[in-house]
Amino acid sequence: MEITSGGVCAAKGFSASGIHCGVRKNKTKRDLALIYSEVPASAAAVYTKNLVKGAPLTVTKKHITDGVAQAVLCNSGNANTCNADGIEVAEKMCELLSENIAVKPSDVIVASTGVIGQRLDITPIAVGLPLLVSELGSSEESSVRAAEGIMTTDTVLKEIAVKFTVGGKECHIGGIAKGSGMIHPNMATMLVFITTDAAISPKMLKKALSADIQNTFNMVSVDGDTSTNDMVAILANGMAGNATISKEDEDFAEFMKALNTITVYLCRKIAGDGEGATKLLECSVTGAKEEEIAKTVAKSVICSSLFKAAMFGADANWGRVLCAIGYSGADVDVDRIDVSFESRAGRIDVCKNGAGIDFSEETAKEVLSEKEINVIIDLNSGDAAATAWGCDLTYDYVKINGDYRT
Amino acid sequence: MEITSGGVCAAKGFSASGIHCGVRKNKTKRDLALIYSEVPASAAAVYTKNLVKGAPLTVTKKHITDGVAQAVLCNSGNANTCNADGIEVAEKMCELLSENIAVKPSDVIVASTGVIGQRLDITPIAVGLPLLVSELGSSEESSVRAAEGIMTTDTVLKEIAVKFTVGGKECHIGGIAKGSGMIHPNMATMLVFITTDAAISPKMLKKALSADIQNTFNMVSVDGDTSTNDMVAILANGMAGNATISKEDEDFAEFMKALNTITVYLCRKIAGDGEGATKLLECSVTGAKEEEIAKTVAKSVICSSLFKAAMFGADANWGRVLCAIGYSGADVDVDRIDVSFESRAGRIDVCKNGAGIDFSEETAKEVLSEKEINVIIDLNSGDAAATAWGCDLTYDYVKINGDYRT
């Protein structure tokens, strides 16, 4: 397996585009993105568990009941959520796309991200669609434009692709994502669109995605707020020519490995580009009795406002790590917990058997002044492990969210 | 019932004091507080549910197993938590107090608040105790000094007392509290010490306290972090001379009402003085099918970082309120939810039946620019209600917690 270029266009038969159509006022920001497969593809998606759900999710869910889709259409700047006419507008988006390119409305995955509770005006989208379709391309640049089209307060582009082999055939898988704020996925997440030319049945594709997100997107948190519009969707058009993956065999394992490479990369990108973030925080928990315990502990630490603020200040305040483990609800033996901090600058042990140990504050400051920090927790009670990703809590998070709408 | 002065000294037979002994480096800050009853009192306490527990809590729990206590000794600046010698030091504090005033070590409620994981040096406490005892007084000023002695990053003093009548006898109840950061109590909370001269059996006192905190301290959140040292303790010395309350009768109801007046006042004080807070946020939920649903919804909204940041910016971003209700886990019918904001400047309706309604952004800004904001949620599905308290998320929260230890 190796990293390659092209993002969602790396896989054969996929093209993409992104334009500014006018949903967002700022004309320098793209706000409409399209991903298209030459042929209908196996499709799977997972969605937010928030009871308040964006209208596009309801429409998408209906459209991929048959496990097939051919295009992804997504706007930024407006979430099309909590609007009386939301479903109608989301369906209209699919119909309008169908009028501009060879795709059935029921084969469109539709998504929206942005402000909740403001009506989404279909006009700029209707006007923009011909341009969006005419700009479809399969170059690296095309994937970049689509990735830009789904960004809101994101500051960096989130895109990746890898090459891998299934049954002797070269396959590709690539993805784009938007994250930033309201990031605390439950079951699904943020907006992530993944394309692959591997041949895989809809059933196995769904299985692969559902299994993967438990240890990837569901382990990311920027601010503890589970969005109303989270969605991860994957299209597999089979154009790599491998024998279709239809059971849990070696080929499926290869596919899972490639998928996981994409999703872990995007998780780290999303966490590191959390609203206002200056640092990517990774929490690695080992020595748990059960995986669920390791996950609960890792996520509790990564979600603690106090821990996040301490990391912003490069303050080795490990007491807050212990505190967050203690209130997580996980069954742990406090007196066995070891804690260390690690970064490119080195590693420092700060807590052994649940109590503080002497350490150099100077070294700790150096370790914690890097851009990527790993807090390493050993529960010393078993063999299960888990990793969670988050970011520091900064002045800019407050600034961005103190006045997001206006 | 009427508000009176005197704080924890309002009740007959109670005296208090607070000094700087040297646990904290800043000599202008008091760091040791004492509350003393002339006679042994009925005592009850509730504690944090964090698995990582401060050593003083373990010692206090043992001391009030018999339902009796006579003094509260508390230091600030060091939590005496995650220290190998924590229990030993906490017990030593009680013994030293016993050498300085007529109280059995086993009748002392001991508490600590401050940094986790740094050894608590007993020396300054040992040296300071004679002064602390000699300064005991029953004036308003004495209660103020004790309240100052337990503060950490608190910016305002939290103290209250009320007069009430039980069986024809005038009784008093008063309390002091410290809050600020790491505030998200579960079962108990922060540090709150309450004194009363009402006569009530230890069993009924425990019952009153346990019932009351479910709707008061357990409904407060500053930052979602449940502390390791939360404790609410109450002493009732019976010196008002009323017939001892020993069952759920009219007298018990009167006592509960007085206790609730104290606790709600302190909850609002603690929330409004959350670390970095500029605003007190109150979330009132009505129309729930069950009280648990109302509580879950109220607390989810008050804990949302995005909602808190929007309130800091006086931004009527009600979509974030809907979002927080949606991911709360509570069983609600999203399409029935109404949301309004209210303050001294007026009231504005922003969401009806789960969808946005037109409102004046100008009026909304005026309403949300006040210091106390009430977000009013009607679930329109039943008769149960609940209230939660919190504060806005500000630059100063990040500043205070980015470098707390150094």
Side-chain angles (χ1 to χ4, degrees):
Chain A
M1 184 161 40
E2 78 185 82
I3 302 282
T4 183
S5 63
V8 286
C9 297
K12 276 181 214 150
F14 283 97
S15 54
S17 61
I19 63 164
H20 170 84
C21 74
V23 177
R24 299 179 71 162
K25 285 171 201 153
N26 185 337
K27 287 188 181 166
T28 67
K29 302 271 191 184
R30 299 183 203 277
D31 55 13
L32 196 60
L34 177 62
I35 304 170
Y36 181 73
S37 170
E38 277 176 45
V39 295
S42 292
V46 283
Y47 315 92
T48 184
K49 280 200 164 169
N50 195 315
L51 290 183
V52 179
K53 276 188 181 51
L57 276 66
T58 306
V59 173
T60 294
K61 208 165 183 175
K62 197 174 70 184
H63 285 183
I64 64 167
T65 312
D66 61 357
V68 176
Q70 193 170 0
V72 176
L73 178 63
C74 177
N75 73 276
S76 57
N78 186 312
N80 191 18
T81 300
C82 296
N83 297 327
D85 64 351
I87 300 281
E88 200 182 311
V89 170
E91 277 172 348
K92 188 76 186 162
M93 284 171 69
C94 302
E95 286 159 24
L96 286 168
L97 180 63
S98 173
E99 290 168 15
N100 283 277
I101 196 168
V103 63
K104 286 193 284 186
S106 63
D107 281 346
V108 178
I109 289 172
V110 62
S112 296
T113 176
V115 181
I116 299 171
Q118 288 180 2
R119 286 193 58 241
L120 174 58
D121 182 7
I122 192 78
T123 315
I125 297 174
V127 172
L129 269 173
L131 175 65
L132 186 71
V133 168
S134 74
E135 296 227 328
L136 275 175
S138 29
S139 65
E140 167 72 29
E141 179 58 23
S142 300
S143 176
V144 165
R145 285 186 188 160
E148 286 173 355
I150 66 173
M151 285 162 77
T152 54
T153 50
D154 301 64
T155 67
V156 302
L157 196 87
K158 296 163 191 80
E159 185 202 62
I160 183 167
V162 298
K163 259 196 287 206
F164 62 110
T165 308
V166 175
K169 296 285 181 186
E170 185 177 274
C171 297
H172 305 80
I173 184 166
I176 59 173
K178 68 112 351 198
S180 231
M182 211 178 260
I183 301 295
H184 183 90
N186 182 6
M187 187 59 204
T189 178
M190 314 148 275
L191 288 181
V192 179
F193 303 120
I194 302 170
T195 58
T196 178
D197 44 20
I200 179 168
S201 70
K203 191 181 145 201
M204 294 311 288
L205 190 63
K206 176 81 187 169
K207 190 168 219 164
L209 184 62
S210 298
D212 185 78
I213 59 156
Q214 305 299 343
N215 297 310
T216 56
F217 298 115
N218 281 5
M219 294 303 286
V220 173
S221 183
V222 166
D223 50 15
D225 281 271
T226 302
S227 164
T228 54
N229 287 48
D230 290 338
M231 185 196 301
V232 184
I234 182 164
L235 293 178
N237 70 5
M239 288 180 75
N242 61 298
T244 302
I245 299 167
S246 57
K247 60 175 188 297
E248 288 193 45
D249 53 12
E250 218 172 280
D251 289 355
F252 183 72
E254 276 306 310
F255 180 77
M256 283 290 285
K257 243 166 68 183
L259 175 63
N260 190 251
T261 303
I262 300 294
T263 54
V264 167
Y265 176 88
L266 293 175
C267 282
R268 291 175 56 94
K269 274 285 195 197
I270 287 166
D273 190 35
E275 279 178 340
T278 68
K279 288 175 189 175
L280 166 66
L281 306 180
E282 184 168 284
C283 180
S284 312
V285 176
T286 58
K289 270 185 290 193
E290 297 161 28
E291 196 190 355
E292 269 315 296
I293 291 174
K295 283 173 132 177
T296 303
V297 165
K299 211 154 174 191
S300 184
V301 171
I302 229 70
C303 289
S304 159
S305 292
L306 286 169
F307 169 68
K308 286 151 62 84
M311 291 300 98
F312 174 54
D315 177 11
N317 198 329
W318 60 269
R320 292 178 180 171
V321 175
L322 266 275
C323 179
I325 298 171
Y327 66 65
S328 69
D331 175 22
V332 298
D333 181 347
V334 171
D335 296 331
R336 284 168 172 246
I337 300 173
D338 298 340
V339 180
S340 307
F341 293 109
E342 189 174 41
S343 73
R344 283 194 331 173
R347 174 175 170 143
I348 189 157
D349 301 334
V350 290
C351 168
K352 185 89 191 156
N353 298 326
I357 52 179
D358 286 336
F359 62 88
S360 152
E361 290 283 350
E362 202 180 329
T363 309
K365 203 90 189 171
E366 273 168 36
V367 169
L368 297 180
S369 294
E370 293 292 324
K371 292 289 171 209
E372 296 191 6
I373 311 293
N374 193 358
V375 46
I376 299 164
I377 297 164
D378 193 339
L379 301 175
N380 288 305
S381 302
D383 295 323
T387 301
W389 298 275
C391 60
D392 54 345
L393 175 62
T394 70
Y395 299 123
D396 279 354
Y397 179 86
V398 177
K399 186 173 182 182
I400 292 165
N401 289 301
D403 201 8
Y404 175 64
R405 291 185 319 145
T406 48
Chain B
M1 185 160 40
E2 81 184 79
I3 303 282
T4 182
S5 63
V8 288
C9 297
K12 277 181 213 148
F14 283 96
S15 55
S17 62
I19 62 165
H20 171 82
C21 75
V23 177
R24 300 179 72 164
K25 285 172 202 154
N26 185 336
K27 289 190 180 167
T28 67
K29 302 272 193 183
R30 298 183 204 279
D31 55 14
L32 197 59
L34 177 63
I35 304 170
Y36 182 73
S37 170
E38 278 176 45
V39 295
S42 292
V46 285
Y47 314 91
T48 185
K49 278 199 165 169
N50 196 315
L51 290 184
V52 179
K53 278 188 180 51
L57 277 67
T58 307
V59 173
T60 294
K61 208 165 182 175
K62 198 174 71 181
H63 285 182
I64 64 167
T65 313
D66 61 357
V68 176
Q70 192 170 0
V72 176
L73 178 63
C74 177
N75 73 278
S76 57
N78 187 313
N80 192 17
T81 300
C82 296
N83 296 328
D85 64 352
I87 300 279
E88 199 183 311
V89 170
E91 278 173 348
K92 188 75 188 163
M93 284 171 69
C94 302
E95 286 160 22
L96 287 169
L97 181 63
S98 171
E99 290 170 14
N100 282 277
I101 196 168
V103 62
K104 285 194 281 185
S106 63
D107 282 346
V108 178
I109 290 172
V110 61
S112 296
T113 176
V115 181
I116 298 171
Q118 289 180 1
R119 286 193 57 241
L120 173 58
D121 183 5
I122 192 79
T123 315
I125 297 174
V127 172
L129 269 173
L131 176 64
L132 186 72
V133 167
S134 74
E135 295 226 328
L136 276 173
S138 28
S139 66
E140 167 73 28
E141 179 58 23
S142 300
S143 176
V144 165
R145 287 187 187 159
E148 285 172 355
I150 66 173
M151 286 163 75
T152 53
T153 51
D154 302 63
T155 67
V156 302
L157 196 87
K158 298 165 188 79
E159 184 202 62
I160 182 166
V162 298
K163 258 196 288 207
F164 61 110
T165 309
V166 176
K169 296 285 179 184
E170 185 178 274
C171 297
H172 305 80
I173 183 166
I176 59 174
K178 69 114 347 201
S180 232
M182 210 176 261
I183 301 295
H184 183 90
N186 183 5
M187 188 59 204
T189 178
M190 316 148 275
L191 289 181
V192 179
F193 302 120
I194 302 170
T195 58
T196 178
D197 46 19
I200 179 168
S201 70
K203 192 182 145 200
M204 294 312 288
L205 189 63
K206 176 81 186 167
K207 190 167 218 166
L209 183 62
S210 298
D212 185 78
I213 59 157
Q214 305 300 341
N215 297 310
T216 57
F217 298 114
N218 281 5
M219 294 302 286
V220 173
S221 184
V222 166
D223 50 16
D225 282 272
T226 302
S227 165
T228 53
N229 288 47
D230 291 339
M231 184 196 302
V232 184
I234 181 164
L235 293 178
N237 69 6
M239 289 180 74
N242 61 300
T244 303
I245 300 168
S246 56
K247 58 175 191 294
E248 287 193 47
D249 53 12
E250 217 174 279
D251 289 354
F252 183 71
E254 276 307 308
F255 180 77
M256 284 290 285
K257 243 167 66 185
L259 175 63
N260 191 251
T261 303
I262 299 294
T263 55
V264 167
Y265 176 88
L266 293 175
C267 282
R268 291 174 57 94
K269 274 286 193 193
I270 287 166
D273 189 35
E275 280 178 339
T278 68
K279 287 173 189 176
L280 167 66
L281 306 179
E282 182 167 285
C283 180
S284 312
V285 176
T286 58
K289 270 184 291 193
E290 298 161 24
E291 196 191 355
E292 267 316 295
I293 292 175
K295 284 173 131 177
T296 302
V297 165
K299 210 153 175 192
S300 184
V301 170
I302 229 68
C303 289
S304 159
S305 292
L306 286 168
F307 169 68
K308 287 151 61 86
M311 291 300 99
F312 173 55
D315 177 11
N317 198 329
W318 60 269
R320 293 180 179 170
V321 175
L322 265 277
C323 180
I325 298 171
Y327 67 65
S328 68
D331 175 22
V332 298
D333 182 347
V334 172
D335 297 331
R336 284 168 173 245
I337 300 172
D338 300 339
V339 180
S340 307
F341 293 109
E342 189 174 43
S343 73
R344 283 196 330 176
R347 175 175 169 142
I348 189 155
D349 301 333
V350 291
C351 169
K352 183 92 191 153
N353 298 325
I357 53 178
D358 286 337
F359 62 88
S360 154
E361 290 282 351
E362 201 180 330
T363 308
K365 203 89 189 170
E366 272 169 37
V367 169
L368 297 180
S369 294
E370 293 291 326
K371 292 287 169 212
E372 295 190 7
I373 311 293
N374 192 359
V375 47
I376 300 164
I377 299 165
D378 192 339
L379 300 175
N380 289 303
S381 302
D383 296 322
T387 301
W389 298 274
C391 60
D392 53 347
L393 176 62
T394 70
Y395 299 123
D396 279 351
Y397 179 84
V398 178
K399 186 172 181 183
I400 291 165
N401 289 300
D403 201 7
Y404 175 64
R405 290 186 320 144
T406 48

